[in-house]
């Protein structure tokens, strides 16, 4: 079935209706950068600015906007070969510049840290995702971006910019995402003036955990709410406020979509747009995208398609039920991206309507390659996917009509993520091309001459902010807020704005994640093959001539052993400079890593009624440990409600009172473990307790007590890495209810009194990654 077009006249068809002033400004030969908003005194202090052919020749201000897609593969956009309808983003490409040799980190937090600082990931302490704290032994893997690595917002703020942040953040140690902070690593602590979005790694699209500035805020009470629409609506409001009151001053905006990260959630009408579109399967679609990429010139005519991953079954080998389920996953993913594209269009329209589009440099990227977290069959439960617990196929098939909606946290099968990464091999989380080579688009009518063209120059995410400094004529100060600054190691690619073939001077870049290593140098890539549990010194290295082998398919290490050794030495040099050592192959285990000093490693926690919602990553870690939860309450006849809840309907645990009975429920994503007291809860003062005694790895006995008397118990199988993707509430259950027993009662607040909630652990376990 042909998908329905939602926008017959995308904004790009009106791209020539810009003001005559900006056209005249392009013709002027003026020194670079000067934002009108900067004072004459500041310009004088900065010294003379030399003319440069690659820099903006404009008198007016220049706004800057970073738009970041999440887990979108190299080929997902229409302008990069996809069948998915993305007319608004494609218009940015048509009137801007595409980069087909752009690289990120293998996962999101390091990419975002590098993007916003202009420096390498490990150098700024973000060698892995912000959920992990590997301890003092691994200083570059603690998610603590130092003040010595000033953000682009902090630098631009000193140059009269107002800085707006929206959407996914995920570059603060997630243990610090509590309503009590500390806030110095939150957006407002790193130079943003206004922020609205989610601070953790992913977000439910229908009921997200939302923060505005330094406070958690309730979900907006609007019909048919969607997170992407909400953050773009706020972005447009920020722009409207700014240009209405301070029209001469420039702004910077960072917009991080939750799309295309799991969970894939979008209104049903967008899924229906792609009904039948993927019936031919991932093998055919991959070939079609590959052919389209050549037609568009996004890849060279002699490029080859990487062989299918050995863990991805051939489409023709699947039965009809498998094909039915898998196509629904992809229809959802495609609809999700089209919906995201529409939000980008709304934002661009706002800029155009206010006369700000010509003078706004927009850089749109994906933060890494497409994810294979869905595994062979796809996933409908995020908690299970992250814990590498496969879902039963029949169970997912029963949820067919729910995929894309509130009832599921879906992710597509790895066969479709392989399509997203066309023509490359591997996926997110690897240092092969499928993990680190993604699409980038730069759009700036006042500053880009090479409209509609494709640059093949090697670029890295750290280069984006370096380019912004270049075109604005800004030198990073030696000190920010009295703190001496690290060198910005990104290299400007501004010369490509006039000539897409211009050499940028970026000849070396290292990559590393969980012991996987890659080095690019002067047209060659060396990639290590590491077997878990083995010595890193024993790794084999592959070698690719990427100037001739676009898709990185032909390992020529045996033909150039001396070059391989030189590149290994170069990787070690770069690693030493950027604080990569010591290496660690740890990854998901980091979710349960509690080095000494981590707030979650405490032996006890006390929370009081009225406390704001607490993110799961900052809540007590109960997995694989002996512990007790004690709650003194006062209740009368008929009092009921939630005493404590952590999680949502996909996984989590909850205490609640209903019909004078005390209930405890733990949901591991596949099975619910329920304890109901064998006697009524008496009126007046009571102390209720849940005790967990570990009997094996991720299993144990849960016992419920009322005033020290046992009133029920059950065996519990817990998740290994993360309890849920929704946090902790005291005296209510916000967002998604953990238990279906009170799903019809909004937040089900406890009508009695709660004195406090006390978590006590047998010992403060310091679990250290090896």
């Amino acid at each position: 079935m042909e998908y329905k077009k939602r926008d017959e006249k995308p904004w790009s068809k009106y791209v020539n209706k810009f003001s005559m002033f900006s056209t005249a400004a392009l013709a002027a030969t003026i020194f670079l950068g000067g934002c009108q908003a900067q004072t004459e005194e500041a310009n004088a202090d900065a010294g003379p600015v030399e003319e440069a052919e690659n820099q903006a020749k404009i008198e007016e201000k220049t706004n800057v906007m970073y738009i970041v897609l999440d887990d979108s593969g190299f080929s997902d956009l229409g302008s990069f070969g996809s069948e998915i309808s993305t007319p608004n983003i494609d218009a940015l490409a048509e009137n801007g510049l595409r980069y087909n040799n752009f690289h990120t980190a293998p996962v999101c937090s390091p990419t975002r840290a590098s993007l916003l600082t202009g420096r390498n990931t490990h150098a700024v302490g973000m060698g892995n995702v912000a959920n992990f704290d590997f301890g003092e032994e691994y200083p570059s893997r603690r998610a603590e971006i130092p003040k010595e690595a000033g953000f682009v917002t902090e630098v631009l703020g000193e140059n009269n910019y107002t800085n707006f942040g929206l959407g996914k953040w995920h570059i603060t140690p997630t243990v610090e995402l509590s309503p009590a902070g500390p806030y110095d690593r939150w957006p407002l602590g790193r130079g943003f003036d206004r922020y609205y979005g989610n601070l953790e790694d992913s977000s439910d699209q229908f009921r997200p955990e939302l923060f505005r500035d330094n406070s958690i805020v309730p979900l907006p009470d609007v019909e048919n709410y969607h997170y992407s629409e909400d953050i773009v609506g706020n972005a447009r409001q920020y722009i409207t406020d700014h240009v209405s009151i301070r029209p001469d001053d420039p702004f910077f905006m960072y917009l991080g979509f939750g799309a295309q990260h799991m969970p894939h959630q979008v209104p049903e009408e967008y899924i229906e747009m792609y009904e039948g579109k993927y019936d031919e399967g991932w093998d055919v679609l991959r070939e079609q995208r590959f052919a389209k990429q050549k037609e568009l010139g996004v890849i060279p005519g002699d490029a080859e398609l990487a062989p299918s991953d050995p863990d991805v079954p051939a489409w023709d080998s699947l039965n009809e039920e498998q094909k039915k389920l898998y196509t629904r996953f992809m229809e959802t993913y495609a609809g999700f991206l089209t919906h995201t594209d529409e939000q980008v269009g709304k934002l661009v329209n706002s800029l155009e309507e206010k006369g700000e589009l010509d003078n706004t440099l927009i850089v749109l990227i994906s933060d890494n390659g497409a994810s294979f977290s869905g595994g062979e069959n796809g996933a409908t439960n995020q908690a299970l996917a992250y814990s590498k617990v496969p879902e039963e196929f029949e169970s997912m098939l029963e949820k067919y009509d729910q995929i894309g909606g509130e009832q599921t946290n879906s992710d597509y099968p790895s066969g479709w993520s392989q399509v997203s990464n066309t023509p490359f091999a591997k996926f997110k989380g690897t240092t092969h091309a499928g993990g680190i080579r993604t699409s980038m688009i730069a759009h700036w009518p006042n500053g880009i001459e090479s409209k509609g063209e494709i640059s093949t120059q090697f670029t890295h995410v750290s280069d984006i902010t370096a380019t912004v400094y270049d075109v604005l004529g800004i030198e990073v100060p030696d000190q920010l807020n009295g703190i001496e600054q690290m060198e910005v190691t990104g290299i400007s690619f501004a010369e490509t704005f006039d000539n897409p073939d211009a050499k940028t001077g970026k000849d070396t870049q290292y990559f590393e994640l969980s012991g996987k290593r890659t080095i690019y140098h002067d047209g060659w890539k060396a990639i290590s093959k590491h077997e878990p549990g083995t010595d890193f010194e024993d790794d084999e290295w592959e070698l690719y001539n990427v100037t001739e082998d676009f898709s990185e398919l032909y390992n020529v290490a045996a033909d150039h052993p001396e070059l391989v050794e030189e590149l290994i030495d170069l990787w070690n040099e770069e690693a030493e400079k950027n604080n990569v050592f010591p290496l660690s192959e740890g990854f998901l285990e980091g979710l349960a890593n509690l080095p000494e000093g981590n707030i979650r490693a405490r032996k006890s926690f006390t929370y009081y009624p009225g406390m704001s919602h607490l993110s799961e990553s900052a809540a007590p870690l109960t997995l694989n440990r002996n512990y007790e939860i004690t709650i003194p309450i006062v209740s009368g006849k008929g009092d009921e409600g939630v005493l404590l809840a952590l999680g949502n309907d996909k996984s989590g645990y909850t205490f609640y009172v209903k019909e004078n009975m005390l209930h405890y429920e733990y949901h591991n994503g596949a099975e619910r473990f329920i304890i109901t007291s064998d006697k009524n809860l008496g009126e007046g003062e009571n102390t209720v307790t849940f005790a967990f005694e570990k009997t094996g790895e991720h299993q144990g006995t849960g016992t419920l007590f009322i005033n020290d008397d046992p009133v029920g118990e059950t065996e519990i199988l817990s998740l290994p890495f993360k309890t849920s993707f929704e946090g902790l509430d005291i005296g209510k259950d916000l967002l998604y209810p953990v238990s279906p027993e009170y799903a019809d009662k909004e937040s089900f607040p406890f009508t009695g009194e709660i004195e406090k909630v006390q978590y006590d652990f047998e010992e403060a376990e310091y679990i250290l990654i090896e």
Side-chain angles (χ1 to χ4, degrees):
M1 177 182 294
E2 187 72 19
Y3 60 78
K4 304 170 188 173
K5 293 184 178 179
R6 299 189 56 80
D7 188 354
E8 293 295 336
K9 295 183 179 180
W11 66 270
S12 63
K13 295 187 179 182
Y14 303 99
V15 75
N16 292 324
K17 293 187 178 180
F18 297 141
S19 68
M20 293 182 64
F21 172 79
S22 62
T23 304
L26 274 171
T29 306
I30 310 172
F31 66 86
L32 168 113
C35 297
Q36 254 181 353
Q38 295 179 340
T39 64
E40 291 183 3
E41 180 181 351
N43 285 332
D45 289 344
V49 182
E50 296 180 0
E51 284 189 358
E53 288 299 317
N54 62 301
Q55 297 175 335
K57 304 172 182 67
I58 54 175
E59 290 181 317
E60 61 183 309
K61 66 179 182 181
T62 297
N63 308 312
V64 179
M65 183 179 292
Y66 295 168
I67 301 176
V68 183
L69 303 180
D70 200 334
D71 288 4
S72 176
F74 180 83
S75 75
D76 274 340
L77 303 176
S79 49
F80 279 79
S82 178
E83 72 295 331
I84 299 173
S85 177
T86 56
N88 296 290
I89 295 175
D90 296 344
L92 293 175
E94 180 183 347
N95 297 286
L97 187 59
R98 280 170 288 174
Y99 293 79
N100 72 354
N101 200 6
F102 171 68
H103 294 72
T104 65
V107 289
C108 54
S109 297
T111 291
R112 292 160 199 270
S114 189
L115 170 66
L116 289 171
T117 65
R119 301 167 174 96
N120 284 320
T121 58
H122 299 78
V124 299
M126 197 67 70
N128 216 307
V129 293
N131 308 71
F132 305 165
D133 182 353
F134 284 59
E136 292 181 359
E137 184 182 350
Y138 301 95
S140 66
R141 296 171 179 83
R142 306 205 72 181
E144 297 176 348
I145 302 177
K147 297 294 185 180
E148 289 81 359
F151 277 38
V152 61
T153 44
E154 294 172 302
V155 175
L156 294 184
E158 294 210 340
N159 287 270
N160 208 40
Y161 274 74
T162 300
N163 299 299
F164 305 122
L166 301 111
K168 175 175 172 174
W169 179 245
H170 202 207
I171 47 176
T172 296
T174 54
V175 71
E176 297 181 1
L177 302 181
S178 79
Y183 306 113
D184 58 322
R185 284 188 257 267
W186 289 33
L188 268 60
R190 296 311 308 250
F192 285 89
D193 297 294
R194 301 179 75 177
Y195 168 77
Y196 180 74
N198 70 296
L199 294 173
E200 283 233 44
D201 57 298
S202 59
S203 178
D204 192 275
Q205 297 294 306
F206 297 119
R207 303 187 199 181
E209 294 177 319
L210 292 171
F211 292 81
R212 188 177 296 281
D213 301 332
N214 285 344
S215 299
I216 190 162
V217 293
L219 188 71
D221 184 16
V222 299
E223 190 174 356
N224 300 320
Y225 175 89
H226 193 280
Y227 180 55
S228 296
E229 297 174 14
D230 188 16
I231 57 175
V232 169
N234 275 269
R236 296 170 72 189
Q237 183 67 57
Y238 289 173
I239 293 170
T240 298
D241 292 346
H242 183 80
V243 301
S244 296
I245 310 301
R246 297 174 56 193
D248 296 329
D249 293 347
F251 66 83
F252 170 85
M253 178 171 285
Y254 171 80
L255 175 63
F257 282 101
Q260 297 294 111
H261 196 290
M262 180 190 205
H264 301 161
Q265 295 171 316
V266 69
E268 180 69 25
E269 62 183 284
Y270 290 85
I271 303 173
E272 292 174 354
M273 289 170 59
Y274 291 93
E275 184 178 348
K277 188 72 176 179
Y278 297 101
D279 289 356
E280 292 180 288
W282 47 59
D283 296 321
V284 170
L285 263 294
R286 193 162 175 254
E287 292 282 356
Q288 289 176 351
R289 287 199 185 182
F290 182 62
K292 184 66 177 296
Q293 288 175 322
K294 289 191 174 183
E295 179 185 329
L296 293 172
V298 174
I299 65 175
D302 61 356
E304 298 181 51
L305 181 62
S308 182
D309 191 276
D311 293 331
V312 174
W315 185 261
D316 289 343
S317 71
L318 305 176
N319 62 41
E320 291 306 309
E321 286 189 333
Q322 289 173 313
K323 292 179 179 179
K324 175 184 176 181
L325 179 64
Y326 300 164
T327 53
R328 171 72 178 196
F329 279 121
M330 186 58 193
E331 290 165 1
T332 300
Y333 181 87
F336 194 19
L337 183 52
T338 293
H339 178 266
T340 304
D341 177 79
E342 288 191 6
Q343 310 320 309
V344 173
K346 292 175 185 177
L347 185 60
V348 172
N349 280 336
S350 285
L351 292 172
E352 185 179 8
E353 289 164 359
K354 295 166 181 63
E356 298 289 333
L357 185 59
D358 279 16
N359 59 296
T360 300
L361 168 57
I362 300 173
V363 181
L364 183 146
I365 68 169
S366 174
D367 64 352
N368 46 246
S371 171
F372 67 104
S373 295
E376 182 178 333
N377 291 324
T380 63
N381 188 309
Q382 190 173 11
L384 290 175
Y386 267 60
S387 292
K388 301 301 179 186
V389 178
E391 296 180 62
E392 294 290 335
F393 178 85
E394 291 301 325
S395 172
M396 290 195 293
L397 188 61
E398 290 174 2
K399 300 173 187 174
Y400 176 89
D401 291 328
Q402 299 174 359
I403 292 171
E406 287 191 346
Q407 300 91 338
T408 62
N409 288 155
S410 67
D411 196 3
Y412 60 4
S414 54
W416 292 121
S417 53
Q418 183 171 257
V419 173
S420 290
N421 288 334
T422 303
F424 305 124
K426 303 292 185 181
F427 309 94
K428 170 185 176 179
T430 73
T431 57
H432 284 75
I436 61 175
R437 201 162 170 182
T438 70
S439 53
M440 178 170 74
I441 296 169
H443 180 273
W444 184 20
N446 277 357
I448 293 178
E449 297 286 352
S450 308
K451 293 180 176 62
E453 299 196 49
I454 297 169
S455 174
T456 63
Q457 304 309 302
F458 182 95
T459 47
H460 182 256
V461 64
S462 63
D463 302 334
I464 295 172
T465 285
T467 302
V468 167
Y469 293 153
D470 184 9
V471 300
L472 297 180
I474 291 174
E475 289 191 14
V476 178
D478 293 334
Q479 291 191 346
L480 273 174
N481 300 316
I483 297 173
E484 188 170 341
Q485 293 296 288
M486 299 164 53
E487 178 188 3
V488 170
T489 51
I491 295 177
S492 173
F493 52 81
E495 290 187 8
T496 63
F497 291 176
D498 285 345
N499 175 13
D501 297 323
K503 303 297 182 185
T504 65
K506 185 79 169 187
D507 56 7
T508 303
Q509 180 63 49
Y510 84 93
F511 302 85
E512 190 276 340
L513 181 78
S514 300
K516 305 177 187 74
R517 296 174 284 170
T518 288
I519 183 77
Y520 167 84
H521 179 69
D522 198 20
W524 295 86
K525 268 187 188 175
I527 306 174
S528 72
K529 294 176 64 177
H530 179 71
E531 293 296 326
T534 64
D535 195 313
F536 290 110
E537 294 297 319
D538 296 333
D539 286 2
E540 275 185 47
W541 286 74
E542 302 169 344
L543 179 67
Y544 299 94
N545 181 348
V546 293
T547 58
E548 298 178 0
D549 178 12
F550 181 86
S551 303
E552 302 174 26
L553 303 183
Y554 295 101
N555 177 14
V556 294
D559 299 331
H560 304 278
E562 293 182 358
L563 178 57
V564 172
E565 291 303 317
E566 290 174 10
L567 290 174
I568 294 173
D569 289 344
L570 183 57
W571 188 92
N572 286 321
E573 289 175 18
E574 293 295 307
E576 194 69 45
K577 283 194 300 187
N578 288 281
N579 203 27
V580 180
F581 295 116
L583 294 175
S584 169
E585 61 186 34
F587 190 66
L588 278 176
E589 316 92 88
L591 287 169
N593 198 45
L594 298 181
E596 189 170 2
N598 187 301
I599 192 172
R600 299 180 88 193
R602 284 163 33 192
K603 287 186 66 174
S604 65
F605 302 79
T606 303
Y607 302 120
Y608 295 95
M611 183 186 75
S612 299
H613 181 83
L614 178 63
S615 72
E616 191 274 344
S617 293
L621 181 65
T622 58
L623 300 174
N624 225 26
R625 306 171 69 187
N626 294 338
Y627 66 94
E628 291 185 354
I629 303 175
T630 304
I631 311 176
I633 63 172
V634 178
S635 60
K637 186 176 181 179
D639 279 330
E640 62 177 5
V642 171
L643 304 177
L644 171 151
L646 184 147
N648 53 29
D649 56 337
K650 284 80 177 176
S651 66
Y653 58 87
T654 179
F655 269 109
Y656 63 96
V657 177
K658 190 176 182 182
E659 297 175 352
N660 292 324
M661 306 291 282
L662 180 64
H663 305 266
Y664 174 86
E665 186 172 326
Y666 181 91
H667 180 28
N668 68 7
E671 187 176 358
R672 292 183 183 273
F673 303 90
I674 300 171
I675 308 173
T676 298
S677 60
D678 59 15
K679 66 178 184 180
N680 287 346
L681 186 67
E683 295 183 37
E685 295 182 357
N686 289 282
T687 298
V688 300
T689 303
F690 171 78
F692 180 82
E693 183 177 356
K694 180 180 169 183
T695 58
E697 285 297 294
H698 312 297
Q699 60 182 312
T701 303
T703 306
L704 200 56
F705 297 84
I706 299 177
N707 299 324
D708 297 326
D709 294 329
V711 293
E713 71 175 35
T714 189
E715 294 301 308
I716 294 174
L717 299 176
S718 66
L719 288 165
F721 299 129
K722 191 173 175 70
T723 300
S724 180
F725 284 82
E726 187 179 315
L728 174 68
D729 296 311
I730 305 298
K732 55 188 174 297
D733 189 355
L734 297 173
L735 302 177
Y736 290 96
V738 175
S739 174
E741 292 300 316
Y742 55 79
D744 60 336
K745 303 176 184 294
E746 186 175 355
S747 79
F748 199 33
F750 183 57
T751 55
E753 297 179 19
I754 298 172
E755 178 186 332
K756 62 183 179 180
V757 171
Q758 179 85 25
Y759 282 76
D760 290 295
F761 293 87
E762 189 174 272
E763 58 181 320
E765 296 188 14
Y766 306 129
I767 309 167
L768 295 177
I769 297 288
E770 295 296 330

